[in-house]
Structure formats: structure tokens, C-alpha cells
């Protein structure tokens, strides 16, 4: 296999600026999910926002982020990676600044959608900038740092938001806006690069995929408030199926598709594309709703943030030991063991209730976090390794899209389950108040705890199914390759 061509000669200052700007910007992309999750209850109360309006603070960001990563990557290649990166960072920061001064939940939801588009541009253009500025062993190290930046942003978000909570919910948005401003200044010195021959963005595919995510999120919100059999809920789910069907047709017939759906013929690739739903799905659900549950029982935002530290620390640290892990265990072993630990941690969280000691939840959260970190350490490489070399870039983009999609659906689906299960024993009004993190009566609190137990058991089952399917698919892929080598066809 031919080695990567050397990176063009650029100044050391430009290289350092490129790396620093992308790493800092990437840190704040997941930070913008886990940080605001801590202050959502205060935001909802301060703005007198509805449950749907509050949920869209997260849903609009995540759904549009997931839908635009691949399309904005094409724009970056065609019109300039540095240009798209700087536009993405600037738009991201400006939207945050406007949210910090806004008093209308609808305006905030729209701005969060704009942020999602900016985040997609930042992550796709940023990855291309790093690839252009580095090569060889340095590129491997830098992309390892990129993964650590995402993990660091995920872990730091709740703690920083909890510490800033006494200043009001707007403070966390101000901090993110300032961070984006610093990243924007650093990005000024990055090296310009482009690929004029790159394919045009797949706008029909992006519209179908993004539309499906938004409509599905709307369906989950409607299910929580009006019931799973409500006609509008059913229509939203039906529209999701139609849009996904249209997406598949567009991708199969398009000359330059956003997703190469033919790759899903490979069982190992399909299993790895689904792996984010058993890994990041649960991480997103706990990051957003465990703090909400704790605050509904009277915990402060800071205590809710501290409660998450056993989960967040291994998510940050374990991927940093990826080289050590892969030198001792196979990729298949790590990809199976990670979800198994997640399943164990999830089921251990059924002991959490109102007033439960932090130490009671620490071990299950630690198991969960180690499982996520273990999977994170090899998931990206595994997804790329299951396809031909010339499809590696497409596979990486698809995997990132599926990871963000898992996070998006986790927030919407978990909220719907929590509201509907809690409302079955209390009332919809009380259930919505609980999911917004407002202090609720003891009876409602216990119903909310039972709903949380349903969620964590579901996350455990999902992770265990993911472990079984991943192990089976990778074993089958290994056996097929061995058969082909023995037959002389490889």
C-alpha cells in the first residue's frame, strides 16, 4: 500500500496555529452539549419554557450537526478548508453569544440549529486542515489529540457548567463564545488549502437525512407529551420512514452520494456503523438526563456535575491508553468488552434514587465510563479498517455522522421515555416538570426514578446486543478473509 504523500512545506508557526485552533474548537463542540445540559433546568425555569422548547435546545444542535458533517466537508474541499473552518468557528461563537443575551426559547432553539451547522463545518474542515498540515507519525499523534479534545470537552462540560451555575445559566454560553473567539483568532494563521476537483455537496441527501432526524426528534417529543399512539406522533414516525427511504434512493442513484450505502453489504462495517448507538447513545443519555434527575430531587447544579465525574474521567483518559490497550488485546476484544462494561454499568444504575449517596452510583458510572473509553479507543480505526483503502475517507465520514446521530436520537428518545413512564404514575404536567429538572414532590420523584431505571435497563440491553452483534460480525469478517486467503482470491 502506498504511503501518504508528505505534507506541503509550511511554517512551524502555521502548523502549530492549525493544530491549536482545531483542537480548541473541537474541544467546545461536545462541550456545547454536556455543559448546557447542566443548566437546562435553570434555563427552562428562567424563560418559562415548555418541555418541547427546552428539548429542542439540544435536539436542534445535535440533529443538524449530524446531518451536515459530510456536506460541509465537501464545501471545505471545494472552497477552502481554512475559509470554511473560520466561518464555522465564527458562526458557532456568534450563535453562542446571541444565546447568552436571548430571552426567547424559540430564538435560542433556532440559534442552536445554526450552531449545529457551524459545528458540522468546524469538525469536517478542521480534520482536513490537520491532515494537510501534518504527516506520518506526527499526524497519528495529532489525530490522537483530536480524539482527546472531544473527550475532554465531553468531560469538562458538566464540571465547568456546575461551577458557573451560581452566576446564572447564561454564563456557560458566554464561556463557550469566548473559547470560540480564541480559536477563531488562532485559526487566522492556519495554512490555506483546497481541492477544486472535490465533488459537490450532496444537498438532496443532506436534506433527506437531516429532515428524517428532525422529524424523528419531533415524533419523540410529541410521544412524551401526547402519547405514543397520538396521531401526530404516528405521522412523524411515518414521515421519518419515508424520508429515510428517500435518502437511500437518492444515495443509490446519485453520482456523488453523501453515504456510500453499498458499504453496508459488509456485515462488519454495518455492525461498526451501528456501534455508536450502543456506546454514544448511552453516554449522551446519561450526560443530559442524570443531572436533570438529580436536580429534580433538589441537588444543586454543582453536585449534579460532580456526580458525573466517575463517568467522564475514564471517557477522557482510557482513549489516551489506546496504544497500550491494542498491544495487549485485539480490536475485536476491545469492541466487545467496551459495550459489555457499559451494560454492566447501566444495570448497576438501577440503585439510584432520590437522595442516593454519590458513592452508590460511582461504581456503575465508572464501569460505564471505562466501557465507553475502551470503545472510543478503537472504534474509528475499526470502522475504517473494514473497508477497502480507497473507501477509508468515506467510511470515516459516515462513522462520525452515525456517532453524532446516536447522540441526537439519545436525547430525544430518552426524554420521551422519561416523560411517558413518569406520567403513567403521576400526570403529564408533573412528568414534564421532572424532566425539566424542576423540584418535584416525593411521589413524582419516585416515579421519575422508576422511569430512569427503565431507561438504564434499556441502555444495558442495547449495549449487550451491540456487543453480541459486533463480536459476531467481526468474527464472520475474519473467517471470510481467512477463507479467501486459503482459496487464493486475496
Amino acid at each position: 500500500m502506498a504511503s501518504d504523500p508528505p505534507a506541503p512545506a509550511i511554517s512551524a508557526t502555521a502548523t502549530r496555529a492549525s493544530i491549536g485552533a482545531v483542537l480548541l474548537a473541537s474541544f467546545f463542540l461536545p462541550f456545547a452539549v454536556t455543559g448546557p445540559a447542566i443548566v437546562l433546568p435553570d434555563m427552562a425555569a428562567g424563560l418559562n419554557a415548555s418541555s418541547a422548547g427546552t428539548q429542542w435546545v439540544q435536539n436542534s444542535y445535535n440533529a443538524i450537526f449530524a446531518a451536515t458533517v459530510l456536506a460541509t466537508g465537501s464545501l471545505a474541499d471545494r472552497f477552502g478548508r481554512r475559509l470554511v473552518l473560520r466561518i464555522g468557528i465564527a458562526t458557532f461563537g456568534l450563535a453562542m453569544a446571541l444565546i447568552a443575551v436571548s430571552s426567547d426559547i424559540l430564538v435560542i432553539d433556532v440559534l442552536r440549529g445554526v450552531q449545529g451547522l457551524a459545528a458540522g463545518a468546524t469538525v469536517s474542515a478542521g480534520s482536513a486542515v490537520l491532515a494537510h498540515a501534518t504527516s506520518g507519525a506526527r499526524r497519528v499523534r495529532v489525530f490522537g489529540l483530536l480524539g482527546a479534545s472531544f473527550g475532554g470537552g465531553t468531560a469538562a462540560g458538566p464540571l465547568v457548567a456546575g461551577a458557573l451555575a451560581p452566576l446564572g445559566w447564561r454564563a456557560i454560553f458566554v464561556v463557550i463564545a469566548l473559547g470560540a473567539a480564541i480559536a477563531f483568532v488562532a485559526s487566522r494563521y492556519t495554512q490555506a488549502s483546497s481541492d477544486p476537483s472535490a465533488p459537490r455537496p450532496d444537498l438532496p441527501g443532506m436534506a433527506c437525512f437531516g429532515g428524517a432526524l428532525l422529524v424523528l426528534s419531533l415524533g419523540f417529543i410529541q410521544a412524551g407529551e401526547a402519547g405514543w399512539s397520538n396521531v401526530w406522533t404516528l405521522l412523524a414516525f411515518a414521515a421519518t420512514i419515508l424520508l429515510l427511504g428517500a435518502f437511500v434512493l437518492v444515495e443509490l442513484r446519485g453520482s456523488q452520494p453523501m453515504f456510500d450505502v453499498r458499504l453496508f453489504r459488509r456485515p462488519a462495517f454495518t455492525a461498526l456503523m451501528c456501534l455508536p448507538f450502543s456506546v454514544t447513545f448511552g453516554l449522551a443519555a446519561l450526560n443530559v438526563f442524570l443531572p436533570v434527575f438529580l436536580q429534580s430531587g433538589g441537588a444543586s447544579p454543582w453536585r449534579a456535575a460532580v456526580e458525573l465525574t466517575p463517568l467522564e474521567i475514564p471517557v477522557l483518559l482510557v482513549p489516551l491508553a489506546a496504544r497500550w490497550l491494542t498491544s495487549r488485546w485485539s480490536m475485536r476484544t476491545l469492541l466487545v468488552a467496551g459495550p459489555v462494561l457499559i451494560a454492566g454499568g447501566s444495570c448497576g444504575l438501577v440503585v439510584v434514587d432520590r437522595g442516593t449517596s454519590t458513592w452508590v452510583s460511582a461504581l456503575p458510572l465508572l464501569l460505564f465510563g471505562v466501557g465507553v473509553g475502551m470503545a472510543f479507543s478503537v472504534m474509528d480505526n475499526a470502522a475504517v479498517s473494514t473497508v477497502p483503502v480507497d473507501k477509508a475517507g468515506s467510511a470515516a465520514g459516515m462513522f462520525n455522522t452515525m456517532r453524532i446521530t446516536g447522540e441526537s436520537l439519545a436525547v430525544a428518545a430518552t426524554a420521551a421515555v422519561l416523560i411517558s413512564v413518569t406520567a403513567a404514575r403521576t400526570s403529564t404536567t408533573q412528568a414534564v416538570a421532572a424532566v425539566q429538572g424542576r423540584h418535584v414532590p416525593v411521589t413524582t420523584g419516585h416515579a421519575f426514578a422508576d422511569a430512569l431505571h427503565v431507561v438504564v435497563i434499556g441502555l444495558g440491553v442495547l449495549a449487550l446486543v451491540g456487543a453480541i452483534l459486533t463480536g459476531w460480525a467481526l468474527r464472520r469478517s475474519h473467517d471470510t478473509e481467512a477463507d479467501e486467503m486459503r482459496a487464493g482470491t486475496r
Side-chain angles (χ1 to χ4, degrees):
M1 182 179 67
S3 61
D4 289 338
I10 57 178
S11 70
T13 299
T15 300
R16 287 193 294 268
S18 298
I19 295 171
V22 173
L23 293 183
L24 181 59
S26 299
F27 175 89
F28 282 105
L29 301 184
F31 189 102
V33 177
T34 60
I38 293 291
V39 299
L40 274 181
D42 288 347
M43 176 190 285
L47 300 180
N48 196 27
S50 66
S51 172
T54 303
Q55 289 181 58
W56 278 113
V57 171
Q58 299 286 39
N59 290 341
S60 57
Y61 176 78
N62 288 328
I64 295 178
F65 188 179
T68 55
V69 168
L70 289 175
T72 51
S74 298
L75 288 173
D77 287 339
R78 286 174 64 86
F79 299 108
R81 292 142 188 165
R82 177 187 172 211
L83 174 65
V84 172
L85 173 66
R86 301 201 77 208
I87 291 175
I89 295 173
T91 305
F92 183 87
L94 179 60
M96 270 298 180
L98 292 174
I99 290 172
V101 298
S102 178
S103 298
D104 188 314
I105 193 66
L106 178 59
V107 172
I108 291 174
D109 290 341
V110 172
L111 289 171
R112 287 287 275 175
V114 172
Q115 264 197 314
L117 176 60
T122 300
V123 73
S124 57
S127 297
V129 164
L130 291 184
H132 176 76
T134 59
S135 62
R138 186 175 194 180
R139 179 180 294 175
V140 174
R141 290 194 300 271
V142 166
F143 273 90
L145 290 174
L146 181 63
S149 292
F150 282 114
T154 299
L159 290 174
V160 175
L164 293 174
L167 302 178
W169 65 264
R170 300 178 190 274
I172 188 64
F173 294 98
V174 172
V175 167
I176 298 173
L178 291 174
I182 296 171
F184 179 76
V185 172
S187 69
R188 174 184 178 185
Y189 303 99
T190 57
Q191 182 77 7
S193 65
S194 64
D195 179 9
S197 64
R200 295 180 179 179
D202 178 17
L203 296 180
M206 185 178 70
C208 291
F209 187 73
L213 288 181
L214 290 172
V215 172
L216 183 57
S217 297
L218 180 62
F220 282 130
I221 291 174
Q222 187 68 18
E225 296 192 344
W228 295 88
S229 61
N230 177 268
V231 63
W232 292 109
T233 302
L234 297 176
L235 284 174
F237 290 152
T240 300
I241 295 172
L242 291 175
L243 284 168
L244 287 177
F247 172 72
V248 172
L249 289 177
V250 166
E251 299 306 284
L252 286 173
R253 296 179 179 179
S255 59
Q256 297 171 332
M258 184 172 85
F259 267 34
D260 186 355
V261 295
R262 295 174 182 84
L263 292 177
F264 285 98
R265 295 171 181 170
R266 298 169 173 264
F269 178 79
T270 301
L272 289 167
M273 287 297 109
C274 295
L275 194 59
F277 290 93
S278 58
V279 176
T280 59
F281 194 103
L283 180 64
L286 291 183
N287 269 324
V288 173
F289 291 105
L290 186 56
V292 166
F293 169 75
L294 295 170
Q295 290 180 72
S296 73
S300 67
W302 173 245
R303 188 206 154 177
V306 170
E307 185 96 9
L308 286 176
T309 52
L311 171 67
E312 308 294 5
I313 290 175
V315 172
L316 171 62
L317 296 182
V318 174
L320 297 179
R323 181 178 296 181
W324 182 86
L325 291 170
T326 54
S327 69
R328 284 158 176 78
W329 294 286
S330 68
M331 188 179 296
R332 177 170 175 260
T333 298
L334 293 172
L335 287 172
V336 172
V340 168
L341 289 176
I342 291 172
S346 297
C347 294
L349 289 173
V350 296
V351 301
V352 174
D353 205 337
R354 286 171 67 94
T356 300
S357 169
T358 300
W359 295 106
V360 173
S361 62
L363 180 57
L365 287 175
L366 184 64
L367 285 176
F368 198 110
V370 171
V372 172
M374 192 175 290
F376 275 10
S377 66
V378 291
M379 282 198 319
D380 297 78
N381 184 40
V384 173
S385 300
T386 59
V387 300
V389 174
D390 62 336
K391 298 290 185 181
S394 177
M398 293 167 69
F399 184 77
N400 283 328
T401 298
M402 296 302 287
R403 174 158 40 197
I404 302 166
T405 299
E407 295 174 356
S408 173
L409 296 182
V411 174
T414 302
V417 172
L418 288 174
I419 292 175
S420 57
V421 175
T422 304
R425 288 181 49 188
T426 56
S427 66
T428 300
T429 301
Q430 285 294 317
V432 168
V435 173
Q436 287 183 336
R438 298 178 182 178
H439 190 57
V440 294
V442 174
T443 302
T444 302
H446 286 309
F448 191 24
D450 290 341
L452 182 66
H453 298 161
V454 170
V455 167
V456 296
I457 291 172
L459 294 177
V461 171
L462 183 63
L464 195 57
V465 170
I468 293 170
L469 292 179
T470 301
W472 170 81
L474 292 180
R475 176 64 180 270
R476 179 179 175 184
S477 175
H478 180 270
D479 292 344
T480 300
E481 289 181 2
D483 290 342
E484 290 176 349
M485 291 178 70
R486 282 193 293 268
T489 57
R490 284 180 65 89

